[in-house]
Amino acid sequence: MTVNVGVVGLGYWGPNLVRVLHELAEAELVAVCDLDTVRLAKIRRRYPAVRCTTSYEDLLADDSIDAVALATPVSTHHPLAMRALKVGKHVFVEKPLAASSAEAEEMIALAGDCDLVLMPGHTFLYSPPVNVVKDLIDSGELGDIYFISTSRVNLGLHQSDVSVLWDLGPHDFSILRYWLEENPEHVSAMARACVVPGTPDVAFVNLAYPSGTVAHVELSWLAPSKLRRTAVVGSEKMVVYDDTSNEPVRIFDSGVSLPDPATFGEYKLTYRTGDIVSPAISAVEPLALELRDFCHSISDGVIPRSGALLGGDVVRTIEVVENHLVKALGAAALR
Ligand SMILES: NC(=O)c1ccc[n+]([C@@H]2O[C@H](COP(=O)([O-])OP(=O)(O)OC[C@H]3O[C@@H](n4cnc5c(N)ncnc54)[C@H](O)[C@@H]3O)[C@@H](O)[C@H]2O)c1
């Protein structure tokens, strides 16, 4: 089955959805929609056969369209998705799924009631290096996961409607949710709105999981250089996943153990630094895998890897972190 899709929102990210859907065998890009006619004209020049409209209603009224893909600002995800679900269309919505957990729950419930696919665009769940690390965790090769430390920082782009927590946070919180298959039970955080009052552009988030794993997530739009670096430290091995490197995954056969003491009170740590392995990583584009999964979930009735419940968990995590920040900094600091 080919899924007929309309893309809504042609700003920074939407044209990527348009490009990939246009090339995907499983999808037919039927129409695009944006309130901005200049952005529409740009897409029309490149894809003359695709219908262009400024009216979302036009898209919803078109019975040939099976699904909409929303790449609009976060505050619009809930209203636009709800309207599409109500007229029987499947919905792919860019991360984060919604602007609050109450909104996310309403969307998930409606999609379930209508038997429609609702999929948040957590692109990193389709990233080959992320999946190499997932396999290492699942196979037990890393041992118990002691902690994960991640930095996602660069200069810009400051968003007008959300803080860095809602903009960059969904990437790391979705990866952590996917790798660990659990939600944090304790969070603490600190943030600062350095440039635009009320919109934090740097956040340091700590998370503790029921399994005992702890994580530290550093997010910033204000950094001298771009970092996309995650260290996963296990009881057997350690991994560095660096999305900016040409060796994105490096596995360190390193660790420390505490053997039973030979005599009472005599503890001696044993340090091990073994081989460093850099596995070959597939170069396939994550966005193509993600949108293919969306089409398959519609045609085969299966839950996509980036499922709505996972998207709801990510929104809830961000909300809990934000509530912590409100307590720590006061509501005025966060707008
Ligand atoms: N998966 C990723 O890696 C990734 C990367 C960047 C952005 N995103 C997500 O994509 C979404 C959009 O981000 P962006 O940076 O492209 O935003 P943007 O502001 O650049 O673009 C949004 C577009 O939506 C249009 N729009 C707004 N309301 C509309 C409506 N009611 N009907 C039709 N068009 C409407 C605007 O005119 C604008 O062109 C966000 O949810 C963001 O988090 C995802």
mmCIF file of all heavy atoms in Angstrom, residues 45-71:
data_model
loop_
_atom_site.group_PDB
_atom_site.id
_atom_site.type_symbol
_atom_site.label_atom_id
_atom_site.label_comp_id
_atom_site.label_asym_id
_atom_site.label_seq_id
_atom_site.Cartn_x
_atom_site.Cartn_y
_atom_site.Cartn_z
ATOM 1 N N ARG A 45 8.311 25.303 -6.789
ATOM 2 C CA ARG A 45 9.345 25.340 -7.840
ATOM 3 C C ARG A 45 10.083 24.007 -7.927
ATOM 4 O O ARG A 45 10.394 23.519 -9.002
ATOM 5 C CB ARG A 45 10.351 26.462 -7.552
ATOM 6 C CG ARG A 45 9.946 27.801 -8.153
ATOM 7 C CD ARG A 45 11.123 28.762 -8.241
ATOM 8 N NE ARG A 45 11.729 29.043 -6.940
ATOM 9 C CZ ARG A 45 11.256 29.925 -6.063
ATOM 10 N NH1 ARG A 45 10.168 30.610 -6.350
ATOM 11 N NH2 ARG A 45 11.857 30.124 -4.917
ATOM 12 N N ARG A 46 10.332 23.391 -6.777
ATOM 13 C CA ARG A 46 11.104 22.151 -6.774
ATOM 14 C C ARG A 46 10.248 20.914 -7.066
ATOM 15 O O ARG A 46 10.722 19.959 -7.664
ATOM 16 C CB ARG A 46 11.797 21.988 -5.422
ATOM 17 C CG ARG A 46 12.808 20.880 -5.415
ATOM 18 C CD ARG A 46 13.716 20.917 -4.229
ATOM 19 N NE ARG A 46 14.546 22.096 -4.181
ATOM 20 C CZ ARG A 46 15.316 22.420 -3.137
ATOM 21 N NH1 ARG A 46 15.330 21.655 -2.069
ATOM 22 N NH2 ARG A 46 16.065 23.493 -3.176
ATOM 23 N N TYR A 47 8.974 20.957 -6.645
ATOM 24 C CA TYR A 47 8.087 19.787 -6.825
ATOM 25 C C TYR A 47 6.795 20.260 -7.497
ATOM 26 O O TYR A 47 5.750 20.381 -6.840
ATOM 27 C CB TYR A 47 7.761 19.140 -5.472
ATOM 28 C CG TYR A 47 8.974 18.808 -4.622
ATOM 29 C CD1 TYR A 47 9.438 19.691 -3.651
ATOM 30 C CD2 TYR A 47 9.665 17.608 -4.801
ATOM 31 C CE1 TYR A 47 10.549 19.394 -2.871
ATOM 32 C CE2 TYR A 47 10.780 17.308 -4.030
ATOM 33 C CZ TYR A 47 11.220 18.206 -3.072
ATOM 34 O OH TYR A 47 12.327 17.915 -2.306
ATOM 35 N N PRO A 48 6.822 20.532 -8.812
ATOM 36 C CA PRO A 48 5.672 21.153 -9.483
ATOM 37 C C PRO A 48 4.402 20.301 -9.431
ATOM 38 O O PRO A 48 3.290 20.851 -9.525
ATOM 39 C CB PRO A 48 6.151 21.367 -10.918
ATOM 40 C CG PRO A 48 7.513 20.803 -11.020
ATOM 41 C CD PRO A 48 7.987 20.345 -9.691
ATOM 42 N N ALA A 49 4.537 18.981 -9.271
ATOM 43 C CA ALA A 49 3.333 18.125 -9.302
ATOM 44 C C ALA A 49 2.614 18.090 -7.956
ATOM 45 O O ALA A 49 1.505 17.570 -7.855
ATOM 46 C CB ALA A 49 3.734 16.705 -9.704
ATOM 47 N N VAL A 50 3.243 18.641 -6.930
ATOM 48 C CA VAL A 50 2.652 18.562 -5.581
ATOM 49 C C VAL A 50 1.723 19.752 -5.354
ATOM 50 O O VAL A 50 2.085 20.894 -5.644
ATOM 51 C CB VAL A 50 3.771 18.532 -4.511
ATOM 52 C CG1 VAL A 50 3.182 18.574 -3.099
ATOM 53 C CG2 VAL A 50 4.633 17.289 -4.680
ATOM 54 N N ARG A 51 0.519 19.462 -4.872
ATOM 55 C CA ARG A 51 -0.458 20.535 -4.629
ATOM 56 C C ARG A 51 -0.024 21.381 -3.440
ATOM 57 O O ARG A 51 0.397 20.849 -2.410
ATOM 58 C CB ARG A 51 -1.833 19.899 -4.356
ATOM 59 C CG ARG A 51 -2.983 20.864 -4.447
ATOM 60 C CD ARG A 51 -4.259 20.127 -4.815
ATOM 61 N NE ARG A 51 -4.634 19.122 -3.820
ATOM 62 C CZ ARG A 51 -5.203 19.411 -2.646
ATOM 63 N NH1 ARG A 51 -5.446 20.657 -2.317
ATOM 64 N NH2 ARG A 51 -5.538 18.439 -1.814
ATOM 65 N N CYS A 52 -0.119 22.690 -3.591
ATOM 66 C CA CYS A 52 0.307 23.611 -2.524
ATOM 67 C C CYS A 52 -0.901 24.383 -2.024
ATOM 68 O O CYS A 52 -1.717 24.855 -2.825
ATOM 69 C CB CYS A 52 1.327 24.615 -3.060
ATOM 70 S SG CYS A 52 2.850 23.848 -3.604
ATOM 71 N N THR A 53 -1.004 24.515 -0.713
ATOM 72 C CA THR A 53 -2.139 25.267 -0.163
ATOM 73 C C THR A 53 -1.736 25.988 1.123
ATOM 74 O O THR A 53 -0.854 25.535 1.839
ATOM 75 C CB THR A 53 -3.343 24.329 0.102
ATOM 76 O OG1 THR A 53 -4.394 25.090 0.695
ATOM 77 C CG2 THR A 53 -2.989 23.188 1.043
ATOM 78 N N THR A 54 -2.418 27.111 1.369
ATOM 79 C CA THR A 54 -2.221 27.804 2.650
ATOM 80 C C THR A 54 -3.291 27.361 3.649
ATOM 81 O O THR A 54 -3.271 27.788 4.795
ATOM 82 C CB THR A 54 -2.336 29.337 2.480
ATOM 83 O OG1 THR A 54 -3.571 29.612 1.818
ATOM 84 C CG2 THR A 54 -1.175 29.914 1.693
ATOM 85 N N SER A 55 -4.219 26.511 3.193
ATOM 86 C CA SER A 55 -5.350 26.148 4.047
ATOM 87 C C SER A 55 -5.236 24.704 4.547
ATOM 88 O O SER A 55 -5.309 23.745 3.755
ATOM 89 C CB SER A 55 -6.657 26.329 3.261
ATOM 90 O OG SER A 55 -7.688 25.623 3.897
ATOM 91 N N TYR A 56 -5.097 24.554 5.844
ATOM 92 C CA TYR A 56 -5.050 23.217 6.454
ATOM 93 C C TYR A 56 -6.374 22.502 6.207
ATOM 94 O O TYR A 56 -6.406 21.286 6.010
ATOM 95 C CB TYR A 56 -4.762 23.375 7.953
ATOM 96 C CG TYR A 56 -4.520 22.077 8.696
ATOM 97 C CD1 TYR A 56 -3.601 21.142 8.244
ATOM 98 C CD2 TYR A 56 -5.199 21.809 9.882
ATOM 99 C CE1 TYR A 56 -3.374 19.961 8.947
ATOM 100 C CE2 TYR A 56 -4.972 20.634 10.594
ATOM 101 C CZ TYR A 56 -4.053 19.713 10.116
ATOM 102 O OH TYR A 56 -3.824 18.548 10.815
ATOM 103 N N GLU A 57 -7.466 23.283 6.188
ATOM 104 C CA GLU A 57 -8.803 22.721 5.939
ATOM 105 C C GLU A 57 -8.835 21.980 4.599
ATOM 106 O O GLU A 57 -9.433 20.912 4.490
ATOM 107 C CB GLU A 57 -9.864 23.833 5.928
ATOM 108 C CG GLU A 57 -10.181 24.418 7.282
ATOM 109 C CD GLU A 57 -10.598 23.347 8.297
ATOM 110 O OE1 GLU A 57 -11.259 22.378 7.893
ATOM 111 O OE2 GLU A 57 -10.224 23.477 9.477
ATOM 112 N N ASP A 58 -8.180 22.570 3.583
ATOM 113 C CA ASP A 58 -8.127 21.938 2.245
ATOM 114 C C ASP A 58 -7.550 20.536 2.339
ATOM 115 O O ASP A 58 -8.045 19.593 1.728
ATOM 116 C CB ASP A 58 -7.180 22.732 1.325
ATOM 117 C CG ASP A 58 -7.886 23.878 0.634
ATOM 118 O OD1 ASP A 58 -9.083 24.070 0.909
ATOM 119 O OD2 ASP A 58 -7.203 24.578 -0.143
ATOM 120 N N LEU A 59 -6.487 20.429 3.128
ATOM 121 C CA LEU A 59 -5.798 19.146 3.281
ATOM 122 C C LEU A 59 -6.716 18.138 3.978
ATOM 123 O O LEU A 59 -6.830 16.984 3.570
ATOM 124 C CB LEU A 59 -4.546 19.360 4.146
ATOM 125 C CG LEU A 59 -3.231 18.840 3.624
ATOM 126 C CD1 LEU A 59 -2.793 19.672 2.436
ATOM 127 C CD2 LEU A 59 -2.172 18.939 4.715
ATOM 128 N N LEU A 60 -7.372 18.627 5.029
ATOM 129 C CA LEU A 60 -8.239 17.732 5.810
ATOM 130 C C LEU A 60 -9.450 17.295 4.993
ATOM 131 O O LEU A 60 -9.971 16.192 5.172
ATOM 132 C CB LEU A 60 -8.699 18.426 7.104
ATOM 133 C CG LEU A 60 -7.602 18.809 8.095
ATOM 134 C CD1 LEU A 60 -8.208 19.336 9.386
ATOM 135 C CD2 LEU A 60 -6.690 17.620 8.418
ATOM 136 N N ALA A 61 -9.898 18.159 4.078
ATOM 137 C CA ALA A 61 -11.097 17.841 3.286
ATOM 138 C C ALA A 61 -10.767 16.907 2.123
ATOM 139 O O ALA A 61 -11.678 16.389 1.475
ATOM 140 C CB ALA A 61 -11.711 19.145 2.762
ATOM 141 N N ASP A 62 -9.491 16.703 1.855
ATOM 142 C CA ASP A 62 -9.079 15.882 0.707
ATOM 143 C C ASP A 62 -9.090 14.399 1.106
ATOM 144 O O ASP A 62 -8.208 13.925 1.823
ATOM 145 C CB ASP A 62 -7.679 16.324 0.260
ATOM 146 C CG ASP A 62 -7.223 15.586 -0.985
ATOM 147 O OD1 ASP A 62 -7.784 14.505 -1.290
ATOM 148 O OD2 ASP A 62 -6.293 16.073 -1.642
ATOM 149 N N ASP A 63 -10.074 13.663 0.586
ATOM 150 C CA ASP A 63 -10.216 12.252 0.973
ATOM 151 C C ASP A 63 -9.104 11.366 0.424
ATOM 152 O O ASP A 63 -8.940 10.230 0.874
ATOM 153 C CB ASP A 63 -11.579 11.715 0.501
ATOM 154 C CG ASP A 63 -12.714 12.309 1.323
ATOM 155 O OD1 ASP A 63 -12.445 12.720 2.479
ATOM 156 O OD2 ASP A 63 -13.846 12.384 0.805
ATOM 157 N N SER A 64 -8.364 11.875 -0.565
ATOM 158 C CA SER A 64 -7.268 11.049 -1.107
ATOM 159 C C SER A 64 -6.062 11.040 -0.167
ATOM 160 O O SER A 64 -5.152 10.242 -0.326
ATOM 161 C CB SER A 64 -6.857 11.571 -2.492
ATOM 162 O OG SER A 64 -6.089 12.756 -2.346
ATOM 163 N N ILE A 65 -6.046 11.948 0.796
ATOM 164 C CA ILE A 65 -4.899 12.015 1.725
ATOM 165 C C ILE A 65 -5.149 11.102 2.927
ATOM 166 O O ILE A 65 -6.140 11.244 3.643
ATOM 167 C CB ILE A 65 -4.653 13.480 2.166
ATOM 168 C CG1 ILE A 65 -4.202 14.306 0.953
ATOM 169 C CG2 ILE A 65 -3.629 13.557 3.289
ATOM 170 C CD1 ILE A 65 -3.947 15.768 1.239
ATOM 171 N N ASP A 66 -4.219 10.138 3.121
ATOM 172 C CA ASP A 66 -4.361 9.182 4.235
ATOM 173 C C ASP A 66 -3.769 9.734 5.524
ATOM 174 O O ASP A 66 -4.204 9.372 6.616
ATOM 175 C CB ASP A 66 -3.594 7.878 3.935
ATOM 176 C CG ASP A 66 -4.017 7.251 2.622
ATOM 177 O OD1 ASP A 66 -5.215 7.003 2.462
ATOM 178 O OD2 ASP A 66 -3.123 7.018 1.760
ATOM 179 N N ALA A 67 -2.716 10.555 5.379
ATOM 180 C CA ALA A 67 -1.955 10.953 6.573
ATOM 181 C C ALA A 67 -1.399 12.357 6.406
ATOM 182 O O ALA A 67 -1.092 12.793 5.296
ATOM 183 C CB ALA A 67 -0.786 9.980 6.772
ATOM 184 N N VAL A 68 -1.256 13.044 7.560
ATOM 185 C CA VAL A 68 -0.561 14.332 7.531
ATOM 186 C C VAL A 68 0.733 14.201 8.336
ATOM 187 O O VAL A 68 0.798 13.448 9.315
ATOM 188 C CB VAL A 68 -1.418 15.495 8.104
ATOM 189 C CG1 VAL A 68 -2.614 15.777 7.209
ATOM 190 C CG2 VAL A 68 -1.861 15.228 9.531
ATOM 191 N N ALA A 69 1.739 14.947 7.892
ATOM 192 C CA ALA A 69 3.011 15.020 8.622
ATOM 193 C C ALA A 69 3.180 16.469 9.042
ATOM 194 O O ALA A 69 3.247 17.365 8.192
ATOM 195 C CB ALA A 69 4.161 14.567 7.722
ATOM 196 N N LEU A 70 3.212 16.700 10.360
ATOM 197 C CA LEU A 70 3.232 18.070 10.883
ATOM 198 C C LEU A 70 4.650 18.478 11.275
ATOM 199 O O LEU A 70 5.270 17.830 12.123
ATOM 200 C CB LEU A 70 2.331 18.173 12.115
ATOM 201 C CG LEU A 70 0.884 17.699 11.957
ATOM 202 C CD1 LEU A 70 0.151 17.753 13.306
ATOM 203 C CD2 LEU A 70 0.151 18.555 10.919
ATOM 204 N N ALA A 71 5.135 19.551 10.659
ATOM 205 C CA ALA A 71 6.438 20.122 11.048
ATOM 206 C C ALA A 71 6.211 21.601 11.358
ATOM 207 O O ALA A 71 6.829 22.484 10.769
ATOM 208 C CB ALA A 71 7.459 19.936 9.939
#
